[in-house]
Amino acid sequence: MTNRPVLLVIAHGSRDPRHAATVHALVRRVRSLRPDVRVETGFLDFNVPSVRGVLESLAVQGVREVVALPLLLTRAFHAKADIPAVLADAPAQLRIRQAEVLGPSPLLLAALERRLYEAGLTPADKSSTGVVLASAGSTDPEAIAVIADIAREWRHTGWCAVRPAFASASLPRTEDAVRALRALGCARVAVAPYVLAPGFLPDRIARGAAEADVLADVLGPAPEVARVVLERYEAARMPALTAVSA
């Protein structure tokens, strides 16, 4: 047995079965990296087990410490409202800490590049390639600003140019960003979906990439993503360690 808090990975959920399959693949990778940590998965909607159901089950099993990690790339509505509301309804005997969302992180930029190289690019292509950083989109201005900041940061690593794009709620769309990079004079254009799992909005990104030269896969269970999950877990559980040592 371990006295470490249980890591509860909270995913949004989707009617698309590829979403849950990808989440479970990522969680398996997290478990393989840290077999000393119990990792559970709960979904906000569409899939089972639900977050509420997992929390109730953990309480019945005698678990007392939980780190709830939103499987989200930006701190938007789900991280600010939906997840805290579900956690507030958890059994009273559970002590729950909500970890930070995954992004931004240098490891996620490394995962984006991994996916681009897997799709056919090489490091030698960077200076002549424009990249569309294509995210799901949000009505939250903080989340949109984070995506723009990531695009600016990524541009400084050697790409010809990097432009943000959004599948919903915000502009520009992926296809418009592809055309803008063409007009800028980039020799080739690649689309890097800044999304964790397949689904409706990632499919929209893929359709918008029809005129691009390269379309990368979603981040999915990339090892870098699993490492970010564990970084967020460790950061969230540190207050407990501090309290014990005080």
Side-chain angles (χ1 to χ4, degrees), residues 41-114:
T41 309
F43 296 90
L44 290 174
D45 206 353
F46 302 116
N47 302 104
V48 292
S50 68
V51 175
R52 189 184 311 276
V54 174
L55 291 171
E56 289 173 353
S57 176
L58 291 174
V60 167
Q61 295 169 42
V63 171
R64 292 296 176 263
E65 300 278 344
V66 177
V67 169
L69 186 142
L71 201 60
L72 300 167
L73 294 173
T74 58
R75 184 171 161 73
F77 181 78
H78 295 303
K80 293 177 179 178
D82 285 352
I83 292 174
V86 173
L87 298 181
D89 248 359
Q93 61 265 47
L94 292 177
R95 184 180 181 190
I96 303 174
R97 293 181 178 84
Q98 182 175 328
E100 290 296 326
V101 297
L102 301 185
S105 166
L107 285 170
L108 294 179
L109 286 181
L112 287 166
E113 294 211 2
R114 169 190 291 274

Side-chain angles (χ1 to χ4, degrees), residues 113-159:
E113 294 211 2
R114 169 190 291 274
R115 293 303 188 220
L116 286 169
Y117 297 151
E118 289 170 350
L121 292 179
T122 70
D125 296 323
K126 290 185 75 167
S127 63
S128 58
T129 301
V131 179
V132 178
L133 179 67
S135 76
S138 174
T139 56
D140 189 309
E142 178 187 347
I144 298 304
V146 166
I147 299 300
D149 287 343
I150 292 169
R152 281 192 293 271
E153 178 183 346
W154 203 15
R155 163 68 181 84
H156 295 314
T157 65
W159 296 101

